[in-house]
Amino acid sequence: MRIADLYIRVSTDEQADKGYSQRLQEDVLLKYCEINAIKVRKIIFEDHSAKTFERPEWIKLLAELKKYKGKTDLVLFTKWDRFSRNASDAYQMISTLRKIGVEPQAIEQPLDMNIPENKMMLAVYLTTPEIENDRRALNVKTGMRQARKEGRWLGVAPPGYINKTRENGTKYVAIDEPEATHMRWSFEQIAEGVFTTQEIWKMAKHRGLKCSATSFRTALRNVGYCGKVLVPAYKNEEMQIVQGLHQPLISEVLFYKAQEMMDGRVRDIGINSSHGILVVVPDKLPLRGFLKCSRCSRLLTGSASKGRNDYYHYYHCQPSCGCR
């Protein structure tokens, strides 16, 4: 009597699809074994995608089959797409199993691997679901691109906005207070050019902004804040910025003024002729980049410190020097 392990796989997005339930697969496989006098050694349930064989239960099964050779003759599943949705990986896994004396077989798409022509049918069974996956992914990508062209803001909302769903199921982003006020204030501070981005982030956090420094810097570059949507370049289409359907948090003028300040393209700059560099000159730190450190002779920078009631500006050297 031959001995078989039953492999039952269903991915999360297939749970509700007709014909893919684990219970149905189990019933079909058990009836097949009963009719064909096959002894069932164990039943393996997998809830994972078949794009690769990096699946927890399959890895355990394969390790067991290699360790205890001869205890199982067959690995049975309902269809070949339950086994794999990647043709190249599937051929390699079939070869691995046959080397340890185990024959993989789909009971609803049976193939005798000793007949050379059946390898062509196997290719059809394996590549069909792979093509379906690729087509589905392409359709999703095309749909998302079209949605962006129509002004929809996709993905996780940045600080100051929140993801919401309407009654009809469509998703959108809405302004989220008080985070929106903190982000608006941050853009205004960036545009003034008095403080560094890091300093503004710290002050915004003190005001109540819940955002990491990295997310904050990324958010400041997001054109969505002024009511626009970025459509990335794709194939022969160039990158474009379209009018968004969401409510802008700041004006375009303020957004691009902040971008210029972060890029260093600001009007209020001085030129330190002795070093040949551009130096940003805020009103409250007019000598930043011109004064020399009394200890190490490097050019002093400047920043603001939070006091009890206000921010106070100081010239200082690099942290390694400590001159203030």
Side-chain angles (χ1 to χ4, degrees):
M1 179 180 285
R2 292 184 298 173
I3 301 173
D5 290 338
L6 309 184
Y7 183 68
I8 297 168
R9 186 196 67 78
V10 58
S11 60
T12 304
D13 59 344
E14 295 171 333
Q15 291 285 4
D17 289 354
K18 184 178 179 180
Y20 282 124
S21 72
Q22 291 184 339
R23 187 183 304 173
L24 178 60
Q25 291 183 59
E26 183 180 9
D27 290 344
V28 171
L29 288 167
L30 288 173
K31 283 183 181 179
Y32 176 86
C33 292
E34 183 181 350
I35 293 171
N36 293 276
I38 298 173
K39 181 180 178 181
V40 177
R41 186 178 75 94
K42 67 185 299 184
I43 302 175
I44 300 94
F45 294 93
E46 186 88 78
D47 182 6
H48 208 276
S49 171
K51 292 180 180 179
T52 72
F53 280 98
E54 294 298 319
R55 314 170 208 155
E57 297 304 321
W58 179 263
I59 292 172
K60 293 178 185 177
L61 174 62
L62 185 60
E64 187 177 340
L65 294 175
K66 289 180 178 179
K67 186 176 181 180
Y68 303 106
K69 293 181 181 179
K71 286 197 172 184
T72 298
D73 304 306
L74 299 164
V75 172
L76 299 178
F77 33 88
T78 54
K79 295 182 179 181
W80 284 104
D81 64 350
R82 301 299 92 200
F83 176 68
S84 176
R85 284 177 173 262
N86 185 305
S88 59
D89 286 355
Y91 278 116
Q92 187 174 354
M93 184 56 68
I94 291 170
S95 176
T96 299
L97 291 172
R98 299 191 76 181
K99 284 178 182 178
I100 57 178
V102 178
E103 188 73 26
Q105 191 60 263
I107 63 171
E108 295 180 12
Q109 298 168 330
L111 293 173
D112 184 354
M113 295 302 174
N114 294 316
I115 301 175
E117 287 76 13
N118 279 347
K119 292 181 179 179
M120 186 180 299
M121 284 304 302
L122 177 61
V124 173
Y125 289 143
L126 290 173
T127 55
T128 298
E130 186 176 1
I131 292 171
E132 289 176 356
N133 279 346
D134 291 345
R135 169 50 60 186
R136 190 179 298 112
L138 182 60
N139 289 343
V140 169
K141 187 173 183 177
T142 302
M144 292 176 66
R145 183 171 180 80
Q146 183 59 37
R148 286 193 175 96
K149 286 182 178 180
E150 294 173 1
R152 289 181 57 192
W153 191 345
L154 306 180
V156 179
Y161 284 93
I162 187 172
N163 293 97
K164 289 191 174 183
T165 305
R166 296 186 177 92
E167 292 182 358
N168 61 5
T170 59
K171 299 181 184 297
Y172 69 103
V173 292
I175 288 179
D176 181 32
E177 294 290 357
E179 298 288 295
T181 298
H182 300 325
M183 286 304 301
R184 189 181 297 110
W185 176 86
S186 298
F187 274 104
E188 291 169 352
Q189 296 303 310
I190 289 287
E192 287 183 11
V194 176
F195 307 109
T196 65
T197 304
Q198 184 71 9
E199 291 168 342
I200 293 172
W201 170 70
K202 289 180 180 179
M203 288 187 282
K205 280 199 69 177
H206 187 266
R207 289 167 59 94
L209 179 67
K210 298 175 182 178
C211 175
S212 68
T214 301
S215 298
F216 182 71
R217 292 191 185 93
T218 302
L220 291 173
R221 296 291 188 176
N222 195 328
V223 72
Y225 282 101
C226 64
K228 303 292 183 179
V229 172
L230 176 68
V231 183
Y234 180 67
K235 293 185 177 179
N236 296 327
E237 295 184 33
E238 296 182 356
M239 182 195 75
Q240 53 184 303
I241 296 176
V242 300
Q243 183 63 47
L245 300 176
H246 61 281
Q247 183 179 350
L249 190 64
I250 60 174
S251 67
E252 284 187 61
V253 174
L254 177 57
F255 176 79
Y256 286 110
K257 186 176 180 181
Q259 303 311 300
E260 290 178 352
M261 188 62 67
M262 288 187 289
D263 291 338
R265 299 191 302 271
V266 293
R267 294 180 180 178
D268 297 329
I269 59 175
I271 301 179
N272 188 319
S273 58
S274 61
H275 289 77
I277 58 174
L278 293 178
V279 182
V280 178
V281 184
D283 292 339
K284 296 183 179 181
L285 292 168
L287 299 179
R288 187 168 73 178
F290 292 90
L291 293 177
K292 284 188 177 181
C293 176
S294 60
R295 296 181 185 175
C296 64
S297 297
R298 282 184 290 194
L299 295 177
L300 294 180
T301 183
S303 60
S305 295
K306 173 68 174 176
R308 180 174 298 178
N309 301 314
D310 202 354
Y311 287 91
Y312 299 92
H313 297 74
Y314 297 91
Y315 295 105
H316 57 82
C317 194
Q318 300 300 318
S320 57
C321 173
C323 181
R324 186 178 178 85

